[in-house]
Amino acid sequence: MSFKPRILIAEDESGIADTLQYVLKSDGFTPVWCATAEEAIAQFAQEAPALAILDIGLPDLNGFELFKRLQALNQSMGGPEVPMVFLTARSDEIDRVVGLELGADDYIAKPFSPRELVARVRTILRRSARNGAGAPATAAAANHGVPHQNPAQTPPESPQAPAMPFSLDHERMQIRYYGRVLELSRYEYGLLRLLVQRPGRVFTRDELLELVWDDSSDSFDRTVDAHIKTLRAKLKAIAPEVEPIRTLRGTGYALNEELPTKAS
């Protein structure tokens, strides 16, 4: 019997849930539908799925909060990281930014194409399998939620010393800014680490997608912009007067080479 990846669906609208179950089952998956966050947590605890699809507007718990609880549960269970996708009827940019900032693998806005959703699920699962296998360094990156960089994608330049206010802790996969640890999602960490290691070097959006994202073909320029936006907000919360990331219109981003040694 062939293995059928288990997909957890947290969706309170039965019509949408039926569509998701049908198309996932037709494509060789085993969908598990939960109409509430409470059911989703119980199912997740019983057996961690290969991937979870979470509706933001659940009746008993906000989808963002469910995401955080499932992440904590996943860590306590000690298994590989479970990729998660947000399903939302909301079109506000802030909802998309919040989802990405939390560390979601993707978000899909209603109404959606069921076939497109399945294609994205397959892409995320391939990416997850690639990150979870192979050399120990790759597995460590997957366990810590940090995107694995293919050696073939490594920029030709040798990393420079980090810009003065930043310090990198590669073992802990942390970045400090003016002495304070930044709480970063995996892609925020990957972006900032790249910029910090090469102050002044201009990276195009395409380069950032290729170097930081696991599968750049399934990501877009606006994905980079959204993550840069959340990064800037986190940096500004520590040093409001400093602008460490420069935008070059129509090109990309660079880390400012002339940053004050102390935050005002």
Side-chain angles (χ1 to χ4, degrees), residues 1-20:
M1 181 180 295
S2 60
F3 172 69
K4 296 184 178 182
R6 189 167 178 263
I7 308 297
L8 181 67
I9 303 168
E11 168 61 63
D12 62 318
E13 295 184 41
S14 60
I16 292 176
D18 288 344
T19 299
L20 287 172

Side-chain angles (χ1 to χ4, degrees), residues 16-34:
I16 292 176
D18 288 344
T19 299
L20 287 172
Q21 290 182 90
Y22 174 77
V23 72
L24 286 168
K25 191 175 294 184
S26 298
D27 260 65
F29 296 100
T30 301
V32 178
W33 175 39
C34 302

Side-chain angles (χ1 to χ4, degrees), residues 16-232:
I16 292 176
D18 288 344
T19 299
L20 287 172
Q21 290 182 90
Y22 174 77
V23 72
L24 286 168
K25 191 175 294 184
S26 298
D27 260 65
F29 296 100
T30 301
V32 178
W33 175 39
C34 302
T36 65
E38 182 180 1
E39 290 178 39
I41 293 170
Q43 284 288 343
F44 197 104
Q46 180 180 325
E47 181 185 348
L51 180 142
I53 300 173
L54 312 178
D55 182 29
I56 291 179
L58 294 169
D60 57 337
L61 192 67
N62 183 286
F64 297 137
E65 183 61 32
L66 173 59
F67 175 90
K68 289 187 281 189
R69 293 195 188 184
L70 292 181
Q71 273 197 324
L73 180 58
N74 192 190
Q75 291 173 2
S76 70
M77 293 167 67
E81 182 180 359
V82 174
M84 301 190 206
V85 176
F86 280 122
L87 189 61
T88 174
R90 305 178 186 183
S91 58
D92 291 343
E93 181 182 14
I94 187 62
D95 290 318
R96 300 196 297 272
V97 170
V98 168
L100 292 171
E101 194 274 337
L102 284 174
D105 291 81
D106 206 345
Y107 69 88
I108 299 174
K110 303 173 186 177
F112 58 89
S113 161
R115 288 297 169 188
E116 179 187 357
L117 183 142
V118 170
R120 292 198 193 188
V121 166
R122 286 198 174 281
T123 295
I124 293 168
L125 289 176
R126 283 197 303 270
R127 178 192 307 163
S128 179
R130 186 168 63 243
N131 287 348
T138 305
N143 290 338
H144 285 81
V146 178
H148 168 62
Q149 287 191 0
N150 188 320
Q153 296 177 338
T154 304
E157 308 101 319
S158 298
Q160 302 173 12
M164 186 67 71
F166 293 93
S167 62
L168 302 180
D169 186 334
H170 296 289
E171 291 186 356
R172 293 184 175 85
M173 297 183 181
Q174 289 180 342
I175 300 178
R176 289 180 179 270
Y177 182 52
Y178 289 110
R180 293 175 58 181
V181 175
L182 293 162
E183 295 294 331
L184 304 173
S185 70
R186 57 180 171 177
Y187 292 125
E188 289 169 356
Y189 173 82
L191 280 171
L192 188 57
R193 179 182 60 183
L194 195 62
L195 295 173
V196 165
Q197 287 179 324
R198 296 179 177 82
R201 204 277 206 188
V202 178
F203 289 91
T204 66
R205 290 174 175 83
D206 286 344
E207 284 179 312
L208 293 172
L209 283 171
E210 183 71 20
L211 293 168
V212 177
W213 268 257
D214 306 304
D215 193 336
S216 60
S217 64
D218 292 289
S219 302
F220 305 94
D221 287 356
R222 285 187 59 82
T223 300
V224 174
D225 295 340
H227 282 79
I228 290 290
K229 182 176 181 178
T230 60
L231 262 179
R232 280 180 165 146

